[in-house]
Amino acid sequence: MFVKNLAVFAALSLASFVQAHYTLPDLIVGGKNTGDWVNVRKTNNFNTQAPVTDVTSQDLRCYTSETQATASTATVAAGSQIGFQADQSMYHQGVVNVYMAKAPANVSTWDGSGSVWFKVYQIPAVTNGGSSISFPGSNIQTVTFTVPKNLPSGQYLVRIEQIALHVASTFGGAQFYISCAQINVTGGGSGKPGPLVAIPGVYTGNEPGILINIYYPIPATYTQPGPAVWSG
């Protein structure tokens, strides 16, 4: 009876763990966390923590179709470091991309539609010719990156995604954990960010870095989804 009860407890614990996903509610500016959903638009999953799995959904952009959320806009200097913090360790095996898009006017009233997004940072998987694969973008709670020094001044959406790949061996299995923050960049330059992509539109779901079995056979290489990083 003890063994049976232990097995039931283990199964229930595993189920709870599987369902206990995460959100990315906090922006880090000047080394300080600005608070939950202050500079980050509150996502639909602020309670459920459920990921986006449909790469054609408008929720792939900022995941706010239900909340219709905007946020306060944080001022940051070009060339400075900012970051996102999750509500817990992002434990799923996966990779990270950070995109930015320049608002035509007030970022608080802009939805980020169109081919306006460019990638500024990524954390890919690390492979070893088929003998191992590891995920530096997993088991972390904070992602920090540098706002490109040559980025033109103005108001931007900053979007982070962790693409969890633990059940990505079938189409639609990859899980996207997403947040969008609002920032005003000062002291920028005259760079021309690119390549520019639309979100949704940047992925089909068939990319080798999204539709992938990370367990067997162990991938010999890994191709990061999305465009190349623009560093300015």
PDB file of all heavy atoms in Angstrom, residues 3 26 47 85 107 119 136 147 161 164 189 203 210 216-217 224:
ATOM      1  N   VAL A   3       3.893   1.579  -1.196  1.00  0.00           N
ATOM      2  CA  VAL A   3       4.499   1.741  -2.516  1.00  0.00           C
ATOM      3  C   VAL A   3       3.485   2.301  -3.505  1.00  0.00           C
ATOM      4  O   VAL A   3       3.777   3.185  -4.306  1.00  0.00           O
ATOM      5  CB  VAL A   3       5.059   0.394  -3.017  1.00  0.00           C
ATOM      6  CG1 VAL A   3       5.525   0.526  -4.455  1.00  0.00           C
ATOM      7  CG2 VAL A   3       6.203  -0.058  -2.119  1.00  0.00           C
ATOM      8  N   ASP A  26       8.815  40.741 -15.498  1.00  0.00           N
ATOM      9  CA  ASP A  26       9.639  41.830 -14.971  1.00  0.00           C
ATOM     10  C   ASP A  26      10.703  42.294 -15.952  1.00  0.00           C
ATOM     11  O   ASP A  26      11.370  41.481 -16.604  1.00  0.00           O
ATOM     12  CB  ASP A  26      10.339  41.384 -13.687  1.00  0.00           C
ATOM     13  CG  ASP A  26       9.358  40.945 -12.617  1.00  0.00           C
ATOM     14  OD1 ASP A  26       8.186  41.358 -12.682  1.00  0.00           O
ATOM     15  OD2 ASP A  26       9.769  40.182 -11.715  1.00  0.00           O
ATOM     16  N   ASN A  47      -2.052  34.159 -15.094  1.00  0.00           N
ATOM     17  CA  ASN A  47      -2.516  33.227 -14.065  1.00  0.00           C
ATOM     18  C   ASN A  47      -2.240  31.776 -14.440  1.00  0.00           C
ATOM     19  O   ASN A  47      -1.777  30.993 -13.624  1.00  0.00           O
ATOM     20  CB  ASN A  47      -4.017  33.400 -13.808  1.00  0.00           C
ATOM     21  CG  ASN A  47      -4.318  34.535 -12.851  1.00  0.00           C
ATOM     22  OD1 ASN A  47      -3.527  34.811 -11.951  1.00  0.00           O
ATOM     23  ND2 ASN A  47      -5.445  35.190 -13.030  1.00  0.00           N
ATOM     24  N   GLN A  85      13.097  39.135 -16.250  1.00  0.00           N
ATOM     25  CA  GLN A  85      13.149  38.129 -15.193  1.00  0.00           C
ATOM     26  C   GLN A  85      11.858  37.346 -15.169  1.00  0.00           C
ATOM     27  O   GLN A  85      10.761  37.928 -15.179  1.00  0.00           O
ATOM     28  CB  GLN A  85      13.399  38.771 -13.829  1.00  0.00           C
ATOM     29  CG  GLN A  85      13.565  37.744 -12.713  1.00  0.00           C
ATOM     30  CD  GLN A  85      14.064  38.368 -11.430  1.00  0.00           C
ATOM     31  OE1 GLN A  85      15.031  39.119 -11.434  1.00  0.00           O
ATOM     32  NE2 GLN A  85      13.403  38.069 -10.327  1.00  0.00           N
ATOM     33  N   VAL A 107       4.658  54.258 -28.052  1.00  0.00           N
ATOM     34  CA  VAL A 107       4.688  52.806 -27.999  1.00  0.00           C
ATOM     35  C   VAL A 107       3.502  52.239 -27.218  1.00  0.00           C
ATOM     36  O   VAL A 107       3.076  51.105 -27.456  1.00  0.00           O
ATOM     37  CB  VAL A 107       6.021  52.315 -27.398  1.00  0.00           C
ATOM     38  CG1 VAL A 107       6.133  52.649 -25.915  1.00  0.00           C
ATOM     39  CG2 VAL A 107       6.212  50.817 -27.629  1.00  0.00           C
ATOM     40  N   LYS A 119      16.171  41.040 -34.409  1.00  0.00           N
ATOM     41  CA  LYS A 119      16.702  40.311 -33.254  1.00  0.00           C
ATOM     42  C   LYS A 119      17.957  40.997 -32.723  1.00  0.00           C
ATOM     43  O   LYS A 119      18.847  41.373 -33.497  1.00  0.00           O
ATOM     44  CB  LYS A 119      17.008  38.870 -33.638  1.00  0.00           C
ATOM     45  CG  LYS A 119      17.325  37.956 -32.443  1.00  0.00           C
ATOM     46  CD  LYS A 119      17.890  36.616 -32.871  1.00  0.00           C
ATOM     47  CE  LYS A 119      16.878  35.729 -33.533  1.00  0.00           C
ATOM     48  NZ  LYS A 119      17.442  34.364 -33.808  1.00  0.00           N
ATOM     49  N   PRO A 136      21.907  26.438 -22.586  1.00  0.00           N
ATOM     50  CA  PRO A 136      22.229  27.549 -21.680  1.00  0.00           C
ATOM     51  C   PRO A 136      21.041  28.469 -21.405  1.00  0.00           C
ATOM     52  O   PRO A 136      21.058  29.206 -20.422  1.00  0.00           O
ATOM     53  CB  PRO A 136      23.346  28.298 -22.422  1.00  0.00           C
ATOM     54  CG  PRO A 136      23.949  27.289 -23.333  1.00  0.00           C
ATOM     55  CD  PRO A 136      22.812  26.413 -23.748  1.00  0.00           C
ATOM     56  N   VAL A 147      21.436  46.803 -25.110  1.00  0.00           N
ATOM     57  CA  VAL A 147      20.743  47.568 -26.149  1.00  0.00           C
ATOM     58  C   VAL A 147      21.812  48.099 -27.096  1.00  0.00           C
ATOM     59  O   VAL A 147      22.743  48.775 -26.660  1.00  0.00           O
ATOM     60  CB  VAL A 147      19.948  48.736 -25.534  1.00  0.00           C
ATOM     61  CG1 VAL A 147      19.288  49.570 -26.627  1.00  0.00           C
ATOM     62  CG2 VAL A 147      18.908  48.218 -24.552  1.00  0.00           C
ATOM     63  N   GLU A 161      11.374  35.675 -25.980  1.00  0.00           N
ATOM     64  CA  GLU A 161      10.734  34.365 -26.067  1.00  0.00           C
ATOM     65  C   GLU A 161      11.726  33.306 -25.617  1.00  0.00           C
ATOM     66  O   GLU A 161      12.889  33.332 -26.007  1.00  0.00           O
ATOM     67  CB  GLU A 161      10.245  34.061 -27.493  1.00  0.00           C
ATOM     68  CG  GLU A 161      11.354  33.982 -28.531  1.00  0.00           C
ATOM     69  CD  GLU A 161      10.872  33.733 -29.950  1.00  0.00           C
ATOM     70  OE1 GLU A 161       9.672  33.883 -30.218  1.00  0.00           O
ATOM     71  OE2 GLU A 161      11.733  33.414 -30.811  1.00  0.00           O
ATOM     72  N   ALA A 164      10.584  26.461 -25.572  1.00  0.00           N
ATOM     73  CA  ALA A 164      10.818  25.200 -24.878  1.00  0.00           C
ATOM     74  C   ALA A 164      10.663  24.044 -25.862  1.00  0.00           C
ATOM     75  O   ALA A 164       9.684  23.965 -26.602  1.00  0.00           O
ATOM     76  CB  ALA A 164       9.839  25.052 -23.716  1.00  0.00           C
ATOM     77  N   GLY A 189      22.125  56.055 -31.864  1.00  0.00           N
ATOM     78  CA  GLY A 189      22.926  56.399 -33.030  1.00  0.00           C
ATOM     79  C   GLY A 189      22.120  56.374 -34.311  1.00  0.00           C
ATOM     80  O   GLY A 189      20.911  56.594 -34.307  1.00  0.00           O
ATOM     81  N   TYR A 203       8.107  32.578 -38.159  1.00  0.00           N
ATOM     82  CA  TYR A 203       8.257  31.129 -38.093  1.00  0.00           C
ATOM     83  C   TYR A 203       7.091  30.431 -38.791  1.00  0.00           C
ATOM     84  O   TYR A 203       5.966  30.942 -38.801  1.00  0.00           O
ATOM     85  CB  TYR A 203       8.273  30.630 -36.640  1.00  0.00           C
ATOM     86  CG  TYR A 203       9.239  31.341 -35.731  1.00  0.00           C
ATOM     87  CD1 TYR A 203       8.830  31.817 -34.484  1.00  0.00           C
ATOM     88  CD2 TYR A 203      10.571  31.536 -36.100  1.00  0.00           C
ATOM     89  CE1 TYR A 203       9.716  32.453 -33.629  1.00  0.00           C
ATOM     90  CE2 TYR A 203      11.458  32.177 -35.256  1.00  0.00           C
ATOM     91  CZ  TYR A 203      11.024  32.644 -34.020  1.00  0.00           C
ATOM     92  OH  TYR A 203      11.890  33.292 -33.180  1.00  0.00           O
ATOM     93  N   ILE A 210      12.816  24.386 -34.300  1.00  0.00           N
ATOM     94  CA  ILE A 210      11.517  24.393 -33.619  1.00  0.00           C
ATOM     95  C   ILE A 210      10.866  23.012 -33.648  1.00  0.00           C
ATOM     96  O   ILE A 210      10.328  22.559 -32.635  1.00  0.00           O
ATOM     97  CB  ILE A 210      10.578  25.444 -34.256  1.00  0.00           C
ATOM     98  CG1 ILE A 210      11.121  26.862 -33.998  1.00  0.00           C
ATOM     99  CG2 ILE A 210       9.157  25.306 -33.719  1.00  0.00           C
ATOM    100  CD1 ILE A 210      10.316  27.964 -34.646  1.00  0.00           C
ATOM    101  N   TYR A 216      16.592  11.763 -29.052  1.00  0.00           N
ATOM    102  CA  TYR A 216      17.187  10.669 -29.824  1.00  0.00           C
ATOM    103  C   TYR A 216      16.717  10.714 -31.272  1.00  0.00           C
ATOM    104  O   TYR A 216      15.510  10.816 -31.501  1.00  0.00           O
ATOM    105  CB  TYR A 216      16.830   9.316 -29.213  1.00  0.00           C
ATOM    106  CG  TYR A 216      17.507   8.163 -29.915  1.00  0.00           C
ATOM    107  CD1 TYR A 216      18.813   7.814 -29.591  1.00  0.00           C
ATOM    108  CD2 TYR A 216      16.847   7.469 -30.928  1.00  0.00           C
ATOM    109  CE1 TYR A 216      19.445   6.781 -30.256  1.00  0.00           C
ATOM    110  CE2 TYR A 216      17.472   6.437 -31.600  1.00  0.00           C
ATOM    111  CZ  TYR A 216      18.773   6.085 -31.253  1.00  0.00           C
ATOM    112  OH  TYR A 216      19.405   5.086 -31.909  1.00  0.00           O
ATOM    113  N   PRO A 217      17.612  10.620 -32.237  1.00  0.00           N
ATOM    114  CA  PRO A 217      19.058  10.721 -32.021  1.00  0.00           C
ATOM    115  C   PRO A 217      19.441  12.135 -31.566  1.00  0.00           C
ATOM    116  O   PRO A 217      18.784  13.106 -31.970  1.00  0.00           O
ATOM    117  CB  PRO A 217      19.647  10.384 -33.381  1.00  0.00           C
ATOM    118  CG  PRO A 217      18.572  10.759 -34.357  1.00  0.00           C
ATOM    119  CD  PRO A 217      17.273  10.471 -33.661  1.00  0.00           C
ATOM    120  N   GLN A 224      19.469  28.009 -34.791  1.00  0.00           N
ATOM    121  CA  GLN A 224      18.621  28.918 -34.018  1.00  0.00           C
ATOM    122  C   GLN A 224      17.509  29.496 -34.902  1.00  0.00           C
ATOM    123  O   GLN A 224      17.766  29.986 -36.003  1.00  0.00           O
ATOM    124  CB  GLN A 224      19.466  30.059 -33.449  1.00  0.00           C
ATOM    125  CG  GLN A 224      18.733  31.009 -32.529  1.00  0.00           C
ATOM    126  CD  GLN A 224      18.529  30.432 -31.138  1.00  0.00           C
ATOM    127  OE1 GLN A 224      18.887  29.300 -30.863  1.00  0.00           O
ATOM    128  NE2 GLN A 224      17.974  31.223 -30.251  1.00  0.00           N
TER     129      GLN A 224
END
